[in-house]
Amino acid sequence: MTRRGLIGAAALGALTARSRALAQAAPWPQAQPIRMIVPFGAGGATDIAARVIAQEMSVFLGQSIVPDNRAGAGSTLGTGLAARAPADGYNLLVTTISGLAIGQTLYRDRIQYDADRSFAHVAIMMGTPYLLLVDPRLPIRTLADYLAAARQRPMDYGTSGVGGVAHLLGLRLARATGAALEHVPYRGSTQAITDVLAGVVPSVLDSLTATSAHIRSGALRPLANSAPQRAPEFPDVPTFRELGYPDVVADGWAGLAAPAGTPRPILERLAEAVRHAQAQPAVQRRFAETATSAGRFYLDEAQAFVRQEVATWAPVIQASGITPD
């Protein structure tokens, strides 16, 4: 190589190294797109809502946020991937009650992360109760009718999978009432709901977010919801608590977290972006359409909330005797 070529190569190498250093030193979030790991398949209620929020966060931050669906193993696959990702502000995780609060205990021998210590929780973005719904072609109009039928013949109820909130609520209801309720797990809520619509199974336990459109159309008949109070959007649907089952209570929440060690200024900026997104018409419209409520915990409060949820659900899971298999 000629002397001029050597000088040129050296200059190019120096320029490349300088460009890389500048990219690394660029103010967050300008270096690269932000990855938002969604530990479920695409198309579910949480995935759709998270994408709407991500779009509004992108506008606020001036940087693209790319959803990355990593479903599997009760959402522990994607969650574990996020826990091992660099804590640089370019890796985020959509968190849920099933994936963290329940998964922490249910999958304790199979996971290498901790719901509290492995993550810096940015926000609880949204919440929704769970409902017991039946095929409206059945002669079942109330929870009392449902339980009476289940005492005469085992009643199947579909859910989005073993160990989820809906499964645990079904177990609680069965134990509280003595009714014979048979769990039918699916690989997602969409499939469970589809089979009720088709008459394959008679009932389903799922979130209000996932079922609200079917309730409005009359395709599913709601019998009770798991919130402490009735949902404002569906005031005629009673709660399990008011019907005499105070233990059949749960709020299905979804949040946003980053790997532990992510710098605090980045976490604070992300929390601001979530607040901004929640206030935007597109997000509020989506929440209204699906009867989803906006979350209200951020940063330290969100961290404490997740910690408390793990403590609350641990004895329930242990008492249930369920396993991931």
Side-chain angles (χ1 to χ4, degrees):
M1 183 179 291
T2 65
R3 183 172 180 273
R4 180 177 297 178
L6 288 170
I7 294 173
L12 179 60
L15 181 61
T16 301
R18 182 171 180 273
S19 297
R20 188 180 300 114
L22 287 173
Q24 292 172 345
W28 182 90
Q30 297 177 17
Q32 63 196 64
I34 299 169
R35 177 174 64 159
M36 178 185 283
I37 297 173
V38 184
F40 317 100
T46 300
D47 174 67
I48 293 171
R51 287 171 182 270
V52 175
I53 291 177
Q55 177 60 38
E56 298 298 339
M57 289 178 65
S58 295
V59 174
F60 181 82
L61 295 170
Q63 181 60 279
S64 61
I65 298 179
V66 182
D68 183 6
N69 293 89
R70 296 299 184 101
S75 82
T76 60
L77 190 153
T79 302
L81 179 66
R84 298 187 299 272
D88 55 6
Y90 294 97
N91 295 281
L92 303 177
L93 170 70
V94 173
T95 61
T96 67
I97 180 174
S98 295
L100 288 185
I102 292 174
Q104 175 75 29
T105 300
L106 182 62
Y107 295 93
R108 59 188 176 277
D109 297 328
R110 301 187 181 187
I111 59 176
Q112 303 297 317
Y113 61 83
D114 181 88
D116 180 22
R117 294 188 297 272
S118 299
F119 298 100
H121 293 278
V122 173
I124 302 302
M125 299 189 294
M126 50 195 161
T128 181
Y130 282 76
L131 285 82
L132 174 63
L133 310 102
V134 295
D135 182 341
R137 293 164 292 192
L138 298 175
I140 296 175
R141 298 191 172 276
T142 67
L143 181 62
D145 292 342
Y146 181 85
L147 295 174
R151 291 188 180 101
Q152 294 179 0
R153 180 180 179 181
M155 181 73 74
D156 291 341
Y157 70 97
T159 76
S160 59
V162 173
V165 180
H167 181 197
L168 291 171
L169 286 173
L171 290 175
R172 280 185 157 189
L173 182 62
R175 290 182 179 181
T177 62
L181 304 181
E182 298 290 338
H183 182 225
V184 182
Y186 288 82
R187 294 179 64 84
S189 63
T190 301
Q191 294 145 313
I193 292 169
T194 298
D195 268 10
V196 178
L197 298 178
V200 177
V201 292
S203 62
V204 64
L205 259 165
D206 211 326
S207 72
L208 183 54
T209 297
T211 59
S212 57
H214 299 295
I215 297 172
R216 290 191 176 103
S217 71
L220 291 175
R221 177 180 293 149
L223 303 181
N225 92 58
S226 69
Q229 298 86 29
R230 296 192 182 200
E233 299 85 358
F234 299 97
D236 295 334
V237 182
T239 67
F240 287 106
R241 174 177 286 178
E242 70 182 87
L243 293 174
Y245 307 106
D247 289 336
V248 189
V249 175
D251 179 39
W253 53 264
L256 187 69
T262 300
R264 180 72 180 196
I266 291 178
L267 299 176
E268 292 173 351
R269 186 65 172 161
L270 286 167
E272 290 179 8
V274 172
R275 288 180 186 270
H276 168 82
Q278 290 171 324
Q280 299 313 299
V283 174
Q284 293 184 345
R285 185 165 54 250
R286 176 63 190 173
F287 281 3
E289 290 170 353
T290 57
T292 302
S293 59
R296 52 189 175 85
F297 296 127
Y298 308 90
L299 300 172
D300 295 341
E301 287 186 341
Q303 195 85 25
F305 174 82
V306 172
R307 191 181 306 123
Q308 180 58 48
E309 283 284 278
V310 172
T312 297
W313 282 98
V316 176
I317 299 159
Q318 291 162 354
S320 73
I322 63 172
T323 67
D325 301 314

